[in-house]
Amino acid sequence: MGVEVHDPRWLAVVPGAELVVGLDDVGECAADGHRVTVLIDLVPENVSSLREMAAEAVGEGARKVRVRPYGVDRVDLVYAAVELNRVAEEDAVEVQFDVTSAALLRSDPSAFVRVDPLVVKADGTVVPICAGLEQYALGSLGTVDELVAGWDPEPVRDLCRVALGRALADTGPLVSWYEHLTRTAALMRTGC
């Protein structure tokens, strides 16, 4: 099961985890010798500056650029996809755009009914899939194995099924899967 951490101090507790930080923390974490993934929240106000933000992160030492959209319309999602393709080619950096195609949702829905990766937030809270699903938290970080052993992942799978239904109703060519998950989670009352 993949694990991402949002604070470098958790790397010692979860060896092999991916370090994911905001733009402001890239330089410090990279200077400390960590392989850094920068997480850029794409919102309508910063779509036009996505290329510059990604270039800044790479210049600060990010080895991977991950972009997570919130409230961005279909046209801006396509624009961002084109810009991120340029980032990958011109900066020779790995890029992850947290969208999927509507066609993939339809062709392989079981791929979206899952409970991983695990995300260790900066405060040590472990949540499944992505930040924003705190009501499904496994608990605070002790050891990941201990948390997983006592965790019932079925409510997360239920969340994924409901979110999948909502995502399939999205008519655009690109679907912000994590946004569907977090919005659906906010509407549901069940936790783990």
Side-chain angles (χ1 to χ4, degrees):
M1 182 176 290
V3 178
E4 69 180 52
V5 297
H6 290 232
D7 188 305
R9 66 186 160 148
W10 302 120
L11 289 171
V13 179
V14 189
E18 178 181 12
L19 177 60
V20 180
V21 299
L23 188 56
D24 293 340
D25 297 321
V26 170
E28 179 182 344
C29 292
D32 289 342
H34 300 295
R35 185 186 190 289
V36 178
T37 296
V38 63
L39 178 60
I40 299 171
D41 286 327
L42 185 68
V43 295
E45 295 77 26
N46 68 6
V47 169
S48 63
S49 58
L50 176 59
R51 178 71 181 100
E52 291 80 23
M53 289 187 297
E56 178 183 344
V58 171
E60 292 283 325
R63 306 254 309 270
K64 181 177 176 182
V65 174
R66 179 176 170 194
V67 175
R68 179 176 55 188
Y70 286 106
V72 179
D73 67 26
R74 294 179 185 114
V75 172
D76 284 342
L77 284 177
V78 172
Y79 170 82
V82 170
E83 286 299 295
L84 289 172
N85 186 54
R86 288 183 179 140
V87 168
E89 289 179 358
E90 294 171 9
D91 295 333
V93 66
E94 183 180 352
V95 171
Q96 177 181 333
F97 190 25
D98 286 347
V99 297
T100 191
S101 72
L104 184 58
L105 283 175
R106 286 181 184 85
S107 70
D108 190 10
S110 64
F112 297 91
V113 180
R114 53 189 299 164
V115 297
D116 65 322
L118 295 179
V119 177
V120 181
K121 296 177 50 176
D123 67 359
T125 302
V126 179
V127 298
I129 306 173
C130 63
L133 301 182
E134 285 73 15
Q135 70 194 63
Y136 296 92
L138 284 73
S140 293
L141 191 62
T143 68
V144 172
D145 292 337
E146 291 171 2
L147 288 174
V148 170
W151 176 51
D152 176 13
E154 199 54 37
V156 178
R157 287 189 184 97
D158 291 341
L159 166 69
C160 291
R161 289 181 189 101
V162 173
L164 179 62
R166 292 169 187 252
L168 288 171
D170 194 329
T171 59
L174 297 176
V175 177
S176 180
W177 174 244
Y178 294 134
E179 185 174 8
H180 277 285
L181 275 176
T182 57
R183 286 185 182 197
T184 302
L187 297 173
M188 294 176 70
R189 297 275 180 214
T190 305
C192 292

PDB file of all heavy atoms in Angstrom, residues 28-36 63:
ATOM      1  N   GLU A  28      13.421  24.088   1.368  1.00  0.00           N
ATOM      2  CA  GLU A  28      13.980  23.585   2.631  1.00  0.00           C
ATOM      3  C   GLU A  28      14.067  22.061   2.629  1.00  0.00           C
ATOM      4  O   GLU A  28      15.091  21.485   3.019  1.00  0.00           O
ATOM      5  CB  GLU A  28      13.123  24.054   3.801  1.00  0.00           C
ATOM      6  CG  GLU A  28      13.617  23.571   5.143  1.00  0.00           C
ATOM      7  CD  GLU A  28      12.727  24.010   6.291  1.00  0.00           C
ATOM      8  OE1 GLU A  28      11.891  24.929   6.118  1.00  0.00           O
ATOM      9  OE2 GLU A  28      12.869  23.426   7.366  1.00  0.00           O
ATOM     10  N   CYS A  29      13.011  21.398   2.180  1.00  0.00           N
ATOM     11  CA  CYS A  29      12.999  19.929   2.176  1.00  0.00           C
ATOM     12  C   CYS A  29      14.010  19.372   1.173  1.00  0.00           C
ATOM     13  O   CYS A  29      14.695  18.382   1.457  1.00  0.00           O
ATOM     14  CB  CYS A  29      11.603  19.406   1.879  1.00  0.00           C
ATOM     15  SG  CYS A  29      10.420  19.741   3.209  1.00  0.00           S
ATOM     16  N   ALA A  30      14.116  19.995   0.015  1.00  0.00           N
ATOM     17  CA  ALA A  30      15.083  19.550  -0.988  1.00  0.00           C
ATOM     18  C   ALA A  30      16.512  19.781  -0.488  1.00  0.00           C
ATOM     19  O   ALA A  30      17.390  18.939  -0.690  1.00  0.00           O
ATOM     20  CB  ALA A  30      14.854  20.266  -2.313  1.00  0.00           C
ATOM     21  N   ALA A  31      16.743  20.902   0.192  1.00  0.00           N
ATOM     22  CA  ALA A  31      18.069  21.197   0.732  1.00  0.00           C
ATOM     23  C   ALA A  31      18.470  20.181   1.797  1.00  0.00           C
ATOM     24  O   ALA A  31      19.660  19.906   1.986  1.00  0.00           O
ATOM     25  CB  ALA A  31      18.107  22.610   1.313  1.00  0.00           C
ATOM     26  N   ASP A  32      17.490  19.621   2.478  1.00  0.00           N
ATOM     27  CA  ASP A  32      17.760  18.594   3.483  1.00  0.00           C
ATOM     28  C   ASP A  32      17.996  17.220   2.861  1.00  0.00           C
ATOM     29  O   ASP A  32      18.174  16.230   3.571  1.00  0.00           O
ATOM     30  CB  ASP A  32      16.602  18.497   4.485  1.00  0.00           C
ATOM     31  CG  ASP A  32      16.539  19.697   5.415  1.00  0.00           C
ATOM     32  OD1 ASP A  32      17.554  20.428   5.534  1.00  0.00           O
ATOM     33  OD2 ASP A  32      15.468  19.905   6.026  1.00  0.00           O
ATOM     34  N   GLY A  33      17.967  17.150   1.527  1.00  0.00           N
ATOM     35  CA  GLY A  33      18.283  15.910   0.825  1.00  0.00           C
ATOM     36  C   GLY A  33      17.105  15.003   0.533  1.00  0.00           C
ATOM     37  O   GLY A  33      17.285  13.861   0.119  1.00  0.00           O
ATOM     38  N   HIS A  34      15.897  15.484   0.711  1.00  0.00           N
ATOM     39  CA  HIS A  34      14.718  14.663   0.452  1.00  0.00           C
ATOM     40  C   HIS A  34      14.292  14.760  -1.009  1.00  0.00           C
ATOM     41  O   HIS A  34      14.445  15.796  -1.639  1.00  0.00           O
ATOM     42  CB  HIS A  34      13.545  15.109   1.325  1.00  0.00           C
ATOM     43  CG  HIS A  34      13.819  15.025   2.786  1.00  0.00           C
ATOM     44  ND1 HIS A  34      14.033  13.828   3.438  1.00  0.00           N
ATOM     45  CD2 HIS A  34      13.931  15.990   3.735  1.00  0.00           C
ATOM     46  CE1 HIS A  34      14.256  14.056   4.718  1.00  0.00           C
ATOM     47  NE2 HIS A  34      14.204  15.363   4.922  1.00  0.00           N
ATOM     48  N   ARG A  35      13.760  13.668  -1.532  1.00  0.00           N
ATOM     49  CA  ARG A  35      13.113  13.694  -2.841  1.00  0.00           C
ATOM     50  C   ARG A  35      11.723  14.283  -2.596  1.00  0.00           C
ATOM     51  O   ARG A  35      10.923  13.720  -1.859  1.00  0.00           O
ATOM     52  CB  ARG A  35      12.983  12.292  -3.426  1.00  0.00           C
ATOM     53  CG  ARG A  35      12.426  12.315  -4.844  1.00  0.00           C
ATOM     54  CD  ARG A  35      12.165  10.909  -5.381  1.00  0.00           C
ATOM     55  NE  ARG A  35      11.864  10.895  -6.786  1.00  0.00           N
ATOM     56  CZ  ARG A  35      10.736  11.353  -7.340  1.00  0.00           C
ATOM     57  NH1 ARG A  35       9.808  11.889  -6.597  1.00  0.00           N
ATOM     58  NH2 ARG A  35      10.540  11.287  -8.645  1.00  0.00           N
ATOM     59  N   VAL A  36      11.455  15.412  -3.204  1.00  0.00           N
ATOM     60  CA  VAL A  36      10.272  16.195  -2.881  1.00  0.00           C
ATOM     61  C   VAL A  36       9.270  16.197  -4.027  1.00  0.00           C
ATOM     62  O   VAL A  36       9.626  16.416  -5.187  1.00  0.00           O
ATOM     63  CB  VAL A  36      10.665  17.662  -2.554  1.00  0.00           C
ATOM     64  CG1 VAL A  36       9.436  18.499  -2.260  1.00  0.00           C
ATOM     65  CG2 VAL A  36      11.636  17.707  -1.387  1.00  0.00           C
ATOM     66  N   ARG A  63      11.264  17.210  -7.429  1.00  0.00           N
ATOM     67  CA  ARG A  63      11.525  16.195  -8.439  1.00  0.00           C
ATOM     68  C   ARG A  63      10.232  15.702  -9.078  1.00  0.00           C
ATOM     69  O   ARG A  63      10.262  14.958 -10.047  1.00  0.00           O
ATOM     70  CB  ARG A  63      12.269  15.019  -7.801  1.00  0.00           C
ATOM     71  CG  ARG A  63      13.536  15.437  -7.067  1.00  0.00           C
ATOM     72  CD  ARG A  63      14.827  15.113  -7.749  1.00  0.00           C
ATOM     73  NE  ARG A  63      15.008  13.780  -8.200  1.00  0.00           N
ATOM     74  CZ  ARG A  63      15.554  12.799  -7.486  1.00  0.00           C
ATOM     75  NH1 ARG A  63      15.938  13.003  -6.259  1.00  0.00           N
ATOM     76  NH2 ARG A  63      15.712  11.617  -8.022  1.00  0.00           N
TER      77      ARG A  63
END
